[in-house]
Amino acid sequence: MKSHLIFATAAIGLILSGHAHAEEKTIGLSWNSKENEIVGKWEEYLQSEAARQGKEAGLEFRFVINVADNDPTRQAANIEDLINQGVDLIIARGEDSAAIGSSIRAAKRSEIPFITFDHGSTSVQPDAHVSGDSYNQAKSTAEAFVALMKEKGVEGQCIELQGALKDVNAVNRSKAWHEVTENSGVVTTLQSVPTEWNPEIFRSGTVNAFRANPNANCLFLGSDFAISAVRSALESMDKWAPAGDPKHVYIATQDLFPEAVKAMEDGYIDVGTTFDAYEHAKEAIRVAITLIGGGDPECAPEGCLAAGRIATPANIATLENLWSRQ
Amino acid sequence: MRTSRILATLGDAHRNLGLVLALLAVMAGFSIAAPSFATTDNLFAILHAMGPSTLAATGMALVILTGKIDISIGSIAFLSASTGALLMEAGHSPLAGFAAILGLGAVLGAINGFLVAYLRINALIATLGTMMAYRGIGLIFTDARVIPLPETMRSVANATIGPVFIDTVAVVAIVAAIQVLHRSTSFGRSLSAVGNGEDIAARIGLNTRRTVFLTFTLAGLLAALAACSSFIQVGSVSGFLGKGLEFNAIAIAVVGGISLAGGRGTIVPGVLIGAAAFQMISNGLNQVNADPYIYQLVTGAVIFVAMYMDAFKRAPVR
């Protein structure tokens, strides 16, 4: 009994001393905006991964978070505040890929490691860039879609609903879609509609494009966050039908937002590539711990990029860590 | 009396004649380039799509007529729609949800009106503040989630009376009511009087504070109606709802002949022409498969021409 008590006391002591000796580090997290639900998920995963990976590395992380409401000037001021507070590392999703460069320079002057997250910098190289790979995301979707069309023996006559043309992710996705499909021999893009990520334009653009191209039988979406708008447009033309129905319009998409997950489960969306918020956060914290320790995160020249996973009605129910299904 | 009103409306139409002719030319161009453009179905699609921006621009036009501006209408649309969507998601009836959207829109507009009319805060500054605050509250409420329209309401989005969408009928009725309010009531006439000179309007006995307060309240209500229209059409509320709506509304009002200096302009036909112009151009560019980068250039050019025409009309004769 006495030996058990001694063992238990020693164990508690070890745990407490372990806590006492975990080195405290502060991460400054600068969001350009929080108007998309994926940002909330990123924040949640960054904090949970910081707690998990930090514990393994003997570090205890604290976050200082600010939001710039889509204003590059305010984001520069926010990051200046983080620098003045003496944070140990900055993770920033820049509003403007050129303007974020001045903040990176300011952090370098103060010897604070800087990670650009999701949105990269076109002006100054950060210590690391962590992101999903928007080009590869659309490339894998397009390749899977081409394979599907070949398998079905269908000639795809598609309408593309692009994102905002100033958004590098939207531009990369469009570029990858065209590069793959233009040489496929089975998929043709009849029309590209710029939506500015505005759901109302997703709706009206879909209606207009189908009116101009009545023979269209497929859609490529820059993102499926606005799938309900596309659904509404297709319903107005009696074209919202699941796979197998003669009225079915084939849909290839990106991201797999919650409503899109349901639409895919029900057979309305044929193929998509996930935007893995969890993998992005996990990678960002791995890189952060390496940089804080003075190491090299060993990113590829284009950054530490987390690939998405192909989702289809056949595997959507079994994909692990899918943020939009939790 | 009735004849004089018709003549007045024709006079207003005459003032927008240049724009109408330009629009007809654009329509002819699109019709030649895209056979699907000049069809009845496409006309109704244009009317349907312009619903939310028409309602928002009608509210904005009333505010601009008083010589003020309200740049918070996009945030009012977002916060009120978010609140209604959350109520419906929590199991409340769609009727209760939409009533909440309208009620909250009017209250948020009334707050703007109180700040501008009674606390005498500059309208641009007051609504800049509420624009940020309202959107921030909406994002806190929703956690930036996409909240879908209840399945029971989805059929309303595409319900029609004959070939006309139900929400288009509602928009026409609302705009007609605002037109009557503007042209046939003392409140409506007082808008232009306040816009032409608040001090003079006060000296002739008009309750200018009450007029400004009610105008902002009405603009809030119309922003909420725009939110309802968008919510029903799109089938969900996301953080993007209402984003940039204020600038679209200002552009529509200006293109429709509402003077930014206040006191001059009409809802019918002015705002309707402005809203139709933007939607028709967007629709036509879609139909002719225009380069995606051309859209903003064309929209900017239309606003520039309208501003130039406004400045030209206001320039003193020498």
Side-chain angles (χ1 to χ4, degrees):
Chain A
M1 181 67 187
K2 195 177 175 183
S3 64
H4 281 159
L5 272 175
I6 292 167
F7 180 75
T9 312
I12 292 167
L14 272 174
I15 291 166
L16 289 176
S17 65
H19 268 285
H21 290 134
E23 199 180 344
E24 281 194 11
K25 295 288 178 187
T26 305
I27 293 177
L29 179 55
S30 170
W31 293 121
N32 59 324
S33 83
K34 287 188 77 175
E35 290 176 350
N36 189 318
E37 62 187 306
I38 203 166
V39 178
K41 282 291 174 189
W42 269 327
E43 191 173 301
E44 184 187 323
Y45 291 145
L46 282 167
Q47 290 177 324
S48 62
E49 275 301 302
R52 190 185 68 77
Q53 294 185 39
K55 195 176 174 187
E56 289 170 6
L59 299 172
E60 191 174 344
F61 283 108
R62 188 175 75 87
F63 279 80
V64 180
I65 302 168
N66 53 42
V67 186
D69 293 330
N70 300 112
D71 181 349
T73 311
R74 191 189 300 179
Q75 184 160 35
N78 285 349
I79 294 173
E80 192 64 41
D81 287 346
L82 296 174
I83 293 169
N84 291 337
Q85 288 179 54
V87 298
D88 297 290
L89 177 133
I90 292 169
I91 299 176
R93 185 180 191 238
E95 171 64 19
D96 185 309
S97 54
I100 196 73
S102 62
S103 298
I104 296 172
R105 261 195 295 270
K108 278 183 192 286
R109 277 198 297 273
S110 304
E111 296 180 351
I112 297 173
F114 199 107
I115 299 173
T116 49
F117 186 73
D118 188 42
H119 294 173
S121 165
T122 53
S123 51
V124 178
Q125 191 73 13
D127 292 284
H129 173 62
V130 178
S131 174
D133 188 338
S134 50
Y135 178 86
N136 265 319
Q137 193 188 14
K139 186 169 175 277
S140 61
T141 298
E143 286 169 348
F145 189 70
V146 166
L148 177 72
M149 291 290 100
K150 284 182 177 168
E151 181 194 319
K152 299 268 181 195
V154 175
E155 194 183 330
Q157 307 266 312
C158 291
I159 287 158
E160 179 197 14
L161 298 174
Q162 295 175 321
L165 299 173
K166 64 181 179 183
D167 179 347
V168 67
N169 287 339
V171 173
N172 280 340
R173 288 171 182 183
S174 178
K175 189 177 163 197
W177 166 259
H178 284 277
E179 280 180 6
V180 172
T181 55
E182 278 166 15
N183 300 315
S184 69
V186 291
V187 178
T188 311
T189 306
L190 300 174
Q191 186 168 346
S192 296
V193 180
T195 67
E196 296 301 320
W197 294 136
N198 180 343
E200 284 176 31
I201 304 178
F202 268 81
R203 189 194 188 286
S204 60
T206 304
V207 172
N208 298 341
F210 269 93
R211 209 173 291 288
N213 303 280
N215 53 335
N217 61 359
C218 50
L219 279 168
F220 170 70
L221 312 186
S223 171
D224 53 33
F225 82 96
I227 188 67
S228 67
V230 174
R231 175 184 164 181
S232 185
L234 292 177
E235 280 175 340
S236 75
M237 298 178 285
D238 197 23
K239 288 177 183 286
W240 179 253
D245 188 308
K247 289 185 284 187
H248 178 60
V249 170
Y250 291 92
I251 300 179
T253 185
Q254 313 295 315
D255 299 342
L256 276 297
F257 272 77
E259 273 203 87
V261 170
K262 189 174 180 318
M264 182 171 272
E265 283 170 348
D266 295 341
Y268 293 94
I269 296 177
D270 301 275
V271 62
T273 303
T274 61
F275 196 64
D276 277 326
Y278 173 72
E279 290 298 329
H280 301 163
K282 191 175 157 191
E283 181 65 358
I285 295 301
R286 180 194 74 76
V287 171
I289 289 172
T290 308
L291 288 174
I292 285 172
D296 179 1
E298 295 176 352
C299 296
E302 60 273 21
C304 287
L305 306 181
R309 293 166 291 167
I310 288 285
T312 66
N315 74 354
I316 185 74
T318 54
L319 282 178
E320 287 181 0
N321 286 322
L322 188 59
W323 68 272
S324 45
R325 206 186 42 221
Q326 289 166 350
Chain B
M1 182 68 182
R2 197 173 166 182
T3 313
S4 66
R5 270 186 214 153
I6 292 167
L7 286 173
T9 305
L10 285 174
D12 294 334
H14 178 258
R15 273 191 282 280
N16 290 296
L17 192 61
L19 184 62
V20 172
L21 289 175
L23 263 185
L24 288 174
V26 169
M27 276 178 78
F30 282 138
S31 303
I32 293 164
S36 53
F37 181 80
T39 60
T40 318
D41 279 353
N42 195 44
L43 173 68
F44 287 120
I46 290 172
L47 290 173
H48 190 216
M50 66 189 253
S53 56
T54 305
L55 291 168
T58 300
M60 181 64 82
L62 296 176
V63 174
I64 295 176
L65 279 169
T66 66
K68 313 277 188 236
I69 197 114
D70 182 352
I71 59 169
S72 73
I73 60 166
S75 298
I76 291 177
F78 174 59
L79 176 53
S80 54
S82 300
T83 307
L86 284 170
L87 285 172
M88 288 184 237
E89 192 183 47
H92 293 277
S93 70
L95 187 65
F98 283 105
I101 294 174
L102 299 183
L104 187 57
V107 169
L108 297 174
I111 292 171
N112 285 340
F114 179 75
L115 294 174
V116 176
Y118 294 102
L119 298 187
R120 293 287 180 186
I121 300 172
N122 177 286
L124 182 67
I125 303 301
T127 58
L128 176 66
T130 55
M131 174 180 81
M132 291 192 270
Y134 293 163
R135 187 161 285 275
I137 295 167
L139 288 169
I140 290 169
F141 279 1
T142 60
D143 208 13
R145 285 184 305 120
V146 177
I147 305 167
L149 186 70
E151 280 297 319
T152 49
M153 286 296 292
R154 286 210 67 105
S155 56
V156 177
N158 294 309
T160 56
I161 299 172
V164 188
F165 288 94
I166 279 187
D167 53 334
T168 302
V169 175
V171 170
V172 169
I174 292 163
V175 172
I178 297 294
Q179 166 73 358
V180 171
L181 182 78
H182 179 216
R183 303 309 293 253
S184 307
T185 68
S186 57
F187 167 75
R189 284 186 289 272
S190 68
L191 298 179
S192 298
V194 171
N196 281 319
E198 206 166 337
D199 290 342
I200 296 167
R203 263 184 245 149
I204 60 170
L206 289 177
N207 188 338
T208 58
R209 288 186 178 189
R210 194 185 65 139
T211 301
V212 171
F213 174 79
L214 289 176
T215 306
F216 275 90
T217 306
L218 205 50
L221 179 63
L222 284 159
L225 282 162
C228 290
S229 176
S230 174
F231 186 19
I232 289 170
Q233 284 191 14
V234 165
S236 63
V237 170
S238 71
F240 293 88
L241 195 147
K243 200 132 197 249
L245 182 66
E246 51 281 341
F247 299 112
N248 284 346
I250 292 169
I252 287 170
V254 169
V255 168
I258 306 284
S259 172
L260 277 177
R264 191 156 47 82
T266 62
I267 306 298
V268 179
V271 172
L272 286 184
I273 291 174
F278 281 103
Q279 198 54 47
M280 204 176 286
I281 288 167
S282 167
N283 182 292
L285 290 173
N286 272 181
Q287 306 264 350
V288 299
N289 198 8
D291 185 310
Y293 288 96
I294 213 94
Y295 286 65
Q296 290 183 339
L297 173 69
V298 174
T299 307
V302 171
I303 294 170
F304 175 78
V305 169
M307 291 296 292
Y308 178 75
M309 283 165 68
D310 182 51
F312 185 74
K313 275 189 280 187
R314 282 192 288 122
V317 179
R318 294 181 185 181

